[in-house]
Amino acid sequence: MQALQQIFNFVPLTARVGTAGQPLAGQFKAIAAAGYEAVLNLAMPDHAEAIDDEAAIVTSLGMTYLHIPVPFDAPRMAHQRQFIRLMQALGDQRVFVHCIMNYRVSVFMYQYLRVCEGYDDASARSPIFETWQPDARWQELMAVDARALVLD
């Protein structure tokens, strides 16, 4: 667990889900060693801190790699719905979810925990919200009624 604490903005949000900012290439070994079975990346692939061969690194360590590129300045409800579908498809697998700063992830996990896992508002909020104040675009996504996110 100590190696995971070295990952930027790492938060062990639930027993099944860890969240963070962008890990360094060498930190994926610690993620795999901690028992995570899948990595879900929400960062844009053209960001300066993105790792070009992240998918190859992750899969070489025996983990599943999933990527939903979410523009930080233009998140959409469609991104959130896709995220929920992927998280549901992963079932009970341990999932490491990251973006660049753990901001996108914190909003998406907030909605996922409320809508799919039945968490109350306070319990669904990542500690990241203590240091980051979402702007209007992200607040709007956080305010979406759960019924609009429920997938048939």
Side-chain angles (χ1 to χ4, degrees):
M1 182 65 124
Q2 187 173 1
L4 295 179
Q5 297 297 336
Q6 302 303 311
I7 299 172
F8 182 72
N9 275 347
F10 174 71
V11 176
L13 199 56
T14 71
R16 182 175 91 87
V17 180
T19 68
Q22 178 65 57
L24 301 174
Q27 292 175 319
F28 287 102
K29 288 180 185 173
I31 293 167
Y36 288 100
E37 301 164 273
V39 172
L40 176 47
N41 177 3
L42 300 181
M44 295 299 291
D46 59 352
H47 190 281
E49 293 181 37
I51 298 173
D52 290 335
D53 57 349
E54 182 171 328
I57 292 168
V58 169
T59 56
S60 75
L61 294 167
M63 296 181 289
T64 300
Y65 181 76
L66 303 162
H67 189 194
I68 305 171
V70 179
F72 190 74
D73 60 348
R76 297 188 334 260
M77 195 163 34
H79 295 123
Q80 177 73 65
R81 285 188 184 122
Q82 184 179 12
F83 177 80
I84 288 172
R85 279 195 293 278
L86 287 177
M87 290 296 290
Q88 289 175 322
L90 290 167
D92 292 334
Q93 290 184 55
R94 293 197 66 222
V95 184
F96 186 90
V97 188
H98 81 84
C99 54
I100 298 298
M101 301 292 292
N102 198 357
Y103 296 167
R104 283 170 260 235
V105 173
S106 294
V107 171
F108 279 28
M109 283 302 303
Y110 168 79
Q111 284 289 39
Y112 172 76
L113 290 173
R114 287 179 53 246
V115 172
C116 300
E117 301 291 330
Y119 282 53
D120 63 33
D121 184 74
S123 299
R125 295 178 71 80
S126 169
I128 293 296
F129 292 117
E130 295 170 12
T131 58
W132 173 59
Q133 177 61 46
D135 67 17
R137 292 174 291 241
W138 289 100
Q139 288 180 28
E140 183 178 323
L141 194 58
M142 288 178 73
V144 169
D145 187 288
R147 291 173 292 194
L149 294 171
V150 173
L151 309 168
D152 296 326

